[in-house]
Amino acid sequence: MSDRDAMFAAAEQLGSALARQPLGLIIDGKSVPALSGKSFATVNPATGLELAQVAEGGVADVDAAVQAARKALGNPAWRDMSAVDRSKLLNRLADLIERDADELALLECMDNGKPATLTKAVEIEGSIKTFRYFAGWPTKFGGETLPVSPRSGAKILNYTVREPVGVCALIVPWNYPMSMAAWKVAPALAAGCTVILKPAEQTPLTALRLAELALEAGVPPGVFNVITGFGEAGAALVDHPGVDKVAFTGSTEVGKAIVRGSTGNLKKVSLELGGKSPQIVLPDADLDAAAASIAAGIFFNQGQTCTAGSRLYAHASIHDDLIARIADHAARLTIGNGLDPTVNFGPLVSQEQWDRVSSYVEIGKAEGAEVLIGGGRPKALGEGFFFEPTIMANAGRDMRIVREEIFGPVLSALSWNDPEDLVAQANDSDFGLSAGIWTNDLRQAHRLAGAVKAGTVWINCFNLVDNATPFGGFKQSGWGREHGRQAMELYSEIKSIWVNLS
Ligand code: NAD
């Protein structure tokens, strides 16, 4: 049997298992139906067909999950677990993800549309790394003793300790379902919190598997709960007085609603939101390297990436040459059902997303931009939500395709001449998640890296992400930073303790 046939056979088997009965919520260590009895369909984007029925969590289910998570917070088996044991537990979970990597990649491919081979290499491997990285923190994350100077001259010992922030609602989007969950669950558990994960309604399947694996690894019941469902379930978590923190990745619009909704008990809130990242190319850049990376930066994951380099600022002298090279990379992508190991460009996640991306192409055309390549449905690909890699040339700084996040495989290309205006244009955005700079001039590279308002700047590379280095946005791209020590800080409270030794 060829690799391709083996993948389709495995998918068929998994599909029949999923179709057997509705998948439950995970509350207090058990899989349970929604109290309303309601469920909803999750759809395979490559075929447009239903994949599984999933419990539709509502306000009462959220309440049950919060109660379970609050109870688990005080469970001595979790609360008093030693740092070494917490570390072992997270490593055990990483081992189990590694054991089931093929199945998880398949599940994500069928639920989201992304190519299975790439999913395994990038998202599943990345999630394993995330759990291993945060497994290292419990044994290293502590407070300090601080040299205070009391006015009275009393002899004082002052020290700080870190405590878990409490019950955390982790609300994630559909574009990297497993990674986005791992980025939040791993540091939250490392810090000793309990969690309620709310996956996106389009892609609930890997979140449920992740929680099952966590239980298998030995996470006590109630520490890791999952509420599947729609925005209302997310809003109920944000509103709940028993939730201490909300960590959200998703659209800027919903991020703002979460800030408004969390004021009841002034929850701690961290937000990873949208982006419209500039790719800045100077005339001396290595155009081969730039073209390959710029193409990957906008077409990987079908452009459904928060850091997608969706605004290209190419110097006028190399603009046409560079665009031709990017188009050449786009033409070499293999579009199709992500179960096929040769495919590296799958469908968009849903019909709704297809309509959104398509409407932006129409808006761009009406605004005067030119569709250089792509712009619609590729031929002969059946019922899936496929959209071609697209380049919109002659884009202008005030066009909506340059200002708004499309969240699809659409590159808006602009050319520049004046270096001062270039920085102004790159920063003329509500977003500030990331930026790419392409040049061999060290002075220019560092000058631009300093001038660009973005949480991450890549020089002669793009979309590199690592658990060791902070990730997050300036401006309306978010609040707070994930990864590194910063993530541990997001899930803990610091307490200052004064001891009078006089
Ligand atoms: P979305 O904001 O529509 O939904 C995200 C999650 O929020 C889903 O689980 C959804 O059910 C839930 N939700 C919806 N309404 C809610 C409400 N009122 N209260 C609480 N929860 C609610 O986003 P999406 O369409 O799933 O994902 C795409 C967006 O995510 C893009 O804007 C993208 O840039 C962003 N994103 C950002 C990052 C980052 O790290 N900055 C990473 C990935 C995706």
Side-chain angles (χ1 to χ4, degrees):
M1 202 192 268
S2 70
D3 285 356
R4 184 180 187 282
D5 291 348
M7 282 296 276
F8 276 86
E12 203 175 316
Q13 212 178 358
L14 188 57
S16 342
L18 288 169
R20 231 165 269 145
Q21 59 185 42
L23 303 173
L25 311 164
I26 296 199
I27 298 179
D28 210 11
K30 289 184 276 302
S31 175
V32 292
L35 287 164
S36 66
K38 283 202 223 165
S39 64
F40 65 99
T42 185
V43 169
N44 182 341
T47 61
L49 301 175
E50 179 178 320
L51 191 56
Q53 282 286 323
V54 182
E56 184 182 330
V59 173
D61 305 295
V62 163
D63 193 48
V66 174
Q67 284 187 34
R70 286 230 77 84
K71 192 173 75 185
L73 204 57
N75 175 357
W78 180 244
R79 187 192 56 204
D80 303 335
M81 185 178 275
S82 75
V84 164
D85 285 344
R86 205 178 289 286
S87 173
K88 273 196 207 156
L89 188 59
L90 289 168
N91 265 319
R92 226 162 21 237
L93 179 50
D95 291 341
L96 295 177
I97 301 172
E98 206 156 22
R99 182 195 70 190
D100 291 355
D102 287 329
E103 185 205 334
L104 287 161
L106 198 58
L107 210 49
E108 203 74 291
C109 167
M110 291 164 77
D111 207 15
N112 169 286
K114 53 178 71 195
T117 314
L118 287 174
T119 303
K120 187 176 170 197
V122 177
E123 202 163 343
I124 309 302
E125 290 296 327
S127 301
I128 296 165
K129 272 164 96 173
T130 299
F131 280 101
R132 294 220 186 285
Y133 173 83
F134 283 104
W137 270 109
T139 52
K140 291 153 200 87
F141 192 58
E144 297 172 292
T145 48
L146 294 160
V148 292
S149 308
R151 213 164 7 115
S152 63
K155 191 159 171 45
I156 296 282
L157 167 66
N158 178 274
Y159 62 97
T160 58
V161 289
R162 289 276 176 183
E163 294 181 3
V165 74
V167 173
C168 300
L170 314 177
I171 304 174
V172 297
W174 46 259
N175 61 336
Y176 290 92
M178 181 84 179
S179 306
M180 295 299 101
W183 286 17
K184 291 174 171 46
V185 171
L189 298 187
C193 296
T194 58
V195 307
I196 301 149
L197 175 62
K198 157 68 183 80
E201 51 273 37
Q202 298 84 351
T203 55
L205 300 185
T206 46
L208 293 169
R209 274 304 286 146
L210 183 63
E212 284 166 4
L213 293 177
L215 287 165
E216 187 182 339
V219 169
V223 168
F224 187 164
N225 308 277
V226 182
I227 294 284
T228 46
F230 294 90
E232 297 74 42
L237 281 164
V238 172
D239 188 49
H240 202 292
V243 173
D244 301 297
K245 172 180 169 63
V246 179
F248 173 72
T249 297
S251 60
T252 295
E253 192 194 339
V254 173
K256 288 179 184 176
I258 284 176
V259 170
R260 288 191 294 271
S262 60
T263 55
N265 65 341
L266 287 179
K267 294 176 178 64
K268 306 286 183 272
V269 177
S270 50
L271 305 168
E272 297 287 0
L273 306 177
K276 189 78 189 177
S277 299
Q279 289 273 23
I280 299 169
V281 189
L282 273 59
D284 72 317
D286 174 344
L287 293 192
D288 269 345
S293 183
I294 291 168
I298 184 66
F299 300 135
F300 185 76
N301 211 40
Q302 298 70 248
Q304 304 165 129
T305 302
C306 53
T307 50
S310 51
R311 289 186 287 154
L312 173 65
Y313 295 92
H315 188 266
S317 64
I318 46 101
H319 174 272
D320 293 356
D321 185 4
L322 179 65
I323 301 256
R325 293 178 198 225
I326 298 170
D328 193 42
H329 282 282
R332 278 186 266 142
L333 290 166
T334 307
I335 309 178
N337 188 323
L339 291 172
D340 182 336
T342 62
V343 162
N344 51 14
F345 190 94
L348 301 181
V349 74
S350 62
Q351 183 63 47
E352 189 190 1
Q353 192 64 8
W354 196 97
D355 293 343
R356 176 187 160 95
V357 173
S358 172
S359 77
Y360 270 106
V361 172
E362 294 311 313
I363 290 166
K365 283 200 271 189
E367 286 176 322
E370 176 201 344
V371 179
L372 201 70
I373 59 161
R377 192 182 292 279
K379 290 183 192 68
L381 277 173
E383 295 306 305
F385 312 130
F386 295 96
F387 200 95
E388 294 168 304
T390 301
I391 300 178
M392 305 286 290
N394 297 325
R397 67 195 296 170
D398 294 323
M399 290 183 186
R400 286 181 62 193
I401 57 165
V402 171
R403 307 196 71 81
E404 298 174 17
E405 184 181 46
I406 299 174
F407 219 54
V410 181
L411 179 66
S412 303
L414 303 96
S415 75
W416 63 275
N417 256 315
D418 171 2
E420 286 314 314
D421 189 44
L422 168 68
V423 172
Q425 282 200 60
N427 286 337
D428 185 12
S429 171
D430 290 340
F431 300 109
L433 191 57
S434 65
I437 296 169
W438 295 89
T439 176
N440 285 315
D441 180 334
L442 206 56
R443 201 172 47 88
Q444 290 286 15
H446 287 289
R447 193 183 65 79
L448 282 167
V452 162
K453 301 258 174 279
T456 298
V457 177
W458 290 288
I459 299 172
N460 295 330
C461 55
F462 200 76
N463 259 350
L464 300 181
V465 176
D466 193 287
N467 299 121
T469 184
F471 178 89
F474 281 29
K475 300 196 265 183
Q476 294 187 33
S477 287
W479 287 356
R481 294 292 181 270
E482 298 197 285
H483 300 321
R485 167 174 284 276
Q486 285 81 1
M488 294 301 296
E489 288 170 359
L490 286 183
Y491 294 97
S492 63
E493 292 277 21
I494 192 160
K495 183 183 277 178
S496 171
I497 299 176
W498 297 70
V499 187
N500 187 351
L501 301 177
S502 306

